[in-house]
Every structure is written in C-alpha cells, then in structure tokens.
Amino acid sequence: MNIIDRYIIKKYLSTFVFTVGIFIIVIVVFDVSEKLDDFLKNKAPMSKVFLEYYALGSIPFFLNMLTPLINFIAVIFFTSKMADQTEVVPILSGGMSFNRFLRPYMISAGIIFVFTFVSNIWIIPYTNKIKVNFENVYVKPQKVSTTTARTHMQIDSNTYVYIDNFDTKRNIGYNFSLEKFNGDQLTEKLMAQRITWDSTATKWKIEDYTVRKIEGLKETMDQGTSRDTTLDMLPRDFEVYDNVFTAMDTKELEERIRKEETRGTGMMTDLLLEKYKRYIGPFSAFILTLMGVSLSSKKVRGGIGLSLGIGIGLSFAFIVLVQFSTMFSLKGGLPPLIAILIPNILFLVLGFWLKHKAPK
C-alpha cells in the first residue's frame, strides 16, 4: 500500500467510527424517551436499563441493523469532502485508474465485512437474547405468551404429537397425545393428562397415561400414573414471543431448521430469513462502498450536502427494499433466499452503473 491507500483507509475507518458514535448517541436518546414510560411502569432497575438493555443488548442490535446505512454515509461524507477539496482529481489525473482508486476502499469494506460477519454469527444472537429477554419483562410484557394452545407437531417421519395447552413458564403440557404410524397405519397411540419437562434428567415425564398398541387386528391397552420418555422436542419449541429466532445462536438456528423440515409448523420462512440475513447481509459493505465512492468522487456544484443527501436517500431506500422483500417472503410466498438477495443484487447493479458514470 502506498501513502494514498493508507490515507484513504484511515479516513474511511475513522469517519465510520465517528459516524457510529453519533448514531449510537442519537438512537439511545430517542429510544430512552420512547420507552421511559414502560421502564417506569414495569419498575425496570436503572442499572439493568443502561448496562444490560442498552450496553449489551440494544446498542449492538441497532449497530448491526444500521451498519449499511452508517457505512454508506461515512464513505460519501469523506469522499465528497476529498472531491470538494480537489484531492480526487489529482489522484486520477496522476495515472491511477478508478479501479485502483477503489482498492483502499474495498480493503476498508473488507474489515467492516469481517467485523459484521463475525458479529452476525457469534455475537449478535447472544446480545439479541439479552435484549429480547429484557423487553419481554420490562418493555412489552403483555406480548409474552406463557401458554400455547392446540399445538400439532411432527417430531419424526412416523411420529406426531398434539398438546392442547403448554405452559412455557412451568414447562407443563396438558391433554397430550402421541401417535406412531407405519406408513398410513396407526400402530400406537399414547394419551396423557399431563406432560412435564424434567430439566435435570433432560426427559419428559408423562402422567396419567393410556397406551393403545395396534398389531393388525390385535389391540392392547396399557395404563399408568407416571413414566419418563425421550422425545425429539424441547420446551423452547413452544416459545412464541417476538423475535425468538433472532435470539438463537447459529447452531441452535440450524437445529431448529432441521427439525422444522420434518415438523412443518409454518416457521420455516422466518427461520430461513434469519439464517440468510446473517450470512448475506455483511456483503452489503462492499456494495454500498462501491456505490458511495462512485457517487461522491466527482466534485459537484451542490458540494458535500448534495452528495450526502443523495446518499442518505439511497441508503434508506436500501433498508426499505430489504423490509419490502422480507414481507413479500413472509406474506407472499417469495423464497427467503431470493428475498434476501434482491436488494443486494439491485444495488450492486446500480453500483456498477454509478461506477461506469464516475470520473476516470
């Protein structure tokens, strides 16, 4: 790297960090003003509010969500300033091609990409769990459902379960039934008044049960008061609070997807959207950097303000497009992978078009 490369990388990253700091301060101030009544009404300890909810939960969440916007604004701001101070023209006039001019920007975008990718896979799920747990207690406790009603679930290719009511707080289910099939023939049916999760033994305890076994024309009945059994389901499979999938670590998310392929409870789209967001989202750092440099490397009569205004508009358009494609996937049947790729592909095409129009 030459002096120009180091200069641009330093400018890029320092402007990015500065912009992050500004956004965090603004977001926290607005979020506190919006949720202050909830904190007071639900008697949230101030130490938990600022140390747990904001420092460990909300700030990483908002930072991860707004990184594309912050990145884009940072690139446009300092590149427009360079162009306005006639620093870009001598660089390009000195024989450096625009592609070579982009190199330090892409190196910086690569650093942000690695940071975002690592955060998405290993850090954000844990901070989201802290945020969601806090909100379910101190912000919107009325949205936390402690029971789920009439749950049907397929736990393997031949076994189906039904629970009339499940208490997620005490991990107890009522009016439980389990059916086993051989092809389309019912071979066993178990019915119980109650099923309880034993976290110590990691097994289910079935109480007041009746087992009916069918072997051709022969049937047998068995009754009992209590027995332990192992089933491929856990109490968290019945959790229904908001943003439950964003609070799952990547391993847990993959396991939930594997189970959903068999069970078909209607959550596959939400699970896949969360998975693809974590893996594909960080690539926006390269796309928006390409757009930002191409858009702001030319000195314009409107100065920095014009480029910055266009950049903010485009970055918000990117976020809105992401939300639209997500809703089309959830409500309109658009495949989750396509929904996540559409904003990135469209803005990548726009980025190459802006690069073609950029000064050479």
Side-chain angles (χ1 to χ4, degrees):
M1 292 190 295
N2 57 32
I3 295 176
I4 294 175
D5 293 331
R6 290 193 293 270
Y7 173 76
I8 291 175
I9 292 173
K10 181 181 177 180
K11 282 282 189 180
Y12 188 132
L13 297 180
S14 61
T15 306
F16 177 78
V17 172
F18 175 77
T19 310
V20 165
I22 296 297
F23 267 82
I24 287 176
I25 293 171
V26 172
I27 287 171
V28 170
V29 169
F30 276 94
D31 200 64
V32 168
S33 64
E34 180 184 350
K35 293 186 172 71
L36 185 59
D37 289 341
D38 295 319
F39 294 152
L40 296 175
K41 181 175 65 176
N42 297 304
K43 299 179 180 178
M46 287 298 104
S47 59
K48 281 193 171 185
V49 169
F50 289 102
L51 295 178
E52 183 177 313
Y53 181 61
Y54 283 108
L56 298 178
S58 286
I59 289 176
F61 169 78
F62 285 119
L63 179 60
N64 180 69
M65 181 179 69
L66 296 175
T67 291
L69 170 63
I70 296 171
N71 180 37
F72 196 36
I73 291 175
V75 170
I76 289 179
F77 179 76
F78 87 86
T79 306
S80 296
K81 190 174 181 181
M82 287 176 60
D84 193 59
Q85 294 175 348
T86 322
E87 295 180 2
V88 176
V89 173
I91 294 174
L92 298 178
S93 300
M96 180 180 288
S97 66
F98 192 78
N99 288 335
R100 176 62 182 85
F101 178 64
L102 280 171
R103 182 189 296 177
Y105 285 93
M106 291 304 165
I107 293 173
S108 303
I111 295 173
I112 295 174
F113 165 81
V114 171
F115 172 77
T116 308
F117 186 83
V118 170
S119 298
N120 278 358
I121 303 301
W122 288 289
I123 300 175
I124 296 300
Y126 294 99
T127 58
N128 279 349
K129 188 173 294 185
I130 295 172
K131 175 179 177 292
V132 169
N133 289 339
F134 184 94
E135 288 178 340
N136 289 337
V137 176
Y138 297 112
V139 179
K140 296 179 180 178
Q142 71 277 8
K143 287 194 173 182
V144 181
S145 177
T146 58
T147 62
T148 55
R150 299 180 180 86
T151 302
H152 293 267
M153 186 181 297
Q154 181 179 359
I155 58 177
D156 61 43
S157 58
N158 300 311
T159 307
Y160 300 81
V161 299
Y162 170 79
I163 299 179
D164 190 46
N165 284 285
F166 188 85
D167 188 331
T168 57
K169 191 173 183 179
R170 296 189 297 160
N171 293 334
I172 299 175
Y174 300 93
N175 295 331
F176 171 78
S177 69
L178 180 147
E179 298 178 342
K180 293 184 178 180
F181 287 82
N182 182 11
D184 58 354
Q185 298 295 318
L186 179 66
T187 60
E188 181 179 331
K189 182 169 183 176
L190 181 149
M191 301 180 67
Q193 291 296 316
R194 192 165 76 167
I195 181 171
T196 306
W197 173 250
D198 186 344
S199 58
T200 304
T202 62
K203 291 183 179 180
W204 292 95
K205 183 179 181 182
I206 298 176
E207 302 176 58
D208 298 326
Y209 66 88
T210 301
V211 180
R212 174 188 172 200
K213 294 185 179 180
I214 304 171
E215 299 177 3
L217 298 177
K218 182 181 177 181
E219 294 187 17
T220 58
M221 297 284 289
D222 183 27
Q223 293 181 327
T225 56
S226 178
R227 83 176 197 185
D228 294 337
T229 186
T230 301
L231 299 172
D232 188 19
M233 67 179 189
L234 296 171
R236 65 170 177 261
D237 294 336
F238 300 93
E239 293 175 340
V240 295
Y241 58 78
D242 292 342
N243 300 320
V244 61
F245 301 135
T246 64
M248 291 181 177
D249 60 61
T250 303
K251 183 179 179 181
E252 187 179 357
L253 185 66
E254 293 284 359
E255 179 66 17
R256 190 68 174 263
I257 291 173
R258 183 189 66 79
K259 290 182 178 180
E260 181 64 20
E261 289 175 349
T262 300
R263 296 173 179 176
T265 61
M267 295 295 177
M268 182 60 84
T269 299
D270 301 78
L271 289 163
L272 291 177
L273 281 171
E274 179 62 27
K275 174 185 175 180
Y276 294 139
K277 282 179 184 177
R278 295 183 185 184
Y279 286 98
I280 297 176
F283 285 97
S284 63
F286 296 107
I287 298 170
L288 296 178
T289 296
L290 174 64
M291 289 181 57
V293 179
S294 303
L295 182 66
S296 57
S297 57
K298 183 179 180 180
K299 187 173 183 179
V300 294
R301 183 170 297 179
I304 298 176
L306 179 60
S307 297
L308 196 58
I310 295 174
I312 291 175
L314 287 174
S315 57
F316 275 109
F318 179 79
I319 294 174
V320 170
L321 186 57
V322 169
Q323 296 302 318
F324 265 110
S325 62
T326 299
M327 290 306 299
F328 271 114
S329 181
L330 291 172
K331 306 297 184 181
L334 184 68
L337 180 59
I338 301 299
I340 299 300
L341 286 175
I342 282 176
N344 291 278
I345 292 174
L346 289 178
F347 272 71
L348 180 62
V349 172
L350 179 59
F352 278 114
W353 181 80
L354 290 173
K355 177 177 174 292
H356 177 71
K357 296 293 183 178
K360 300 297 189 290

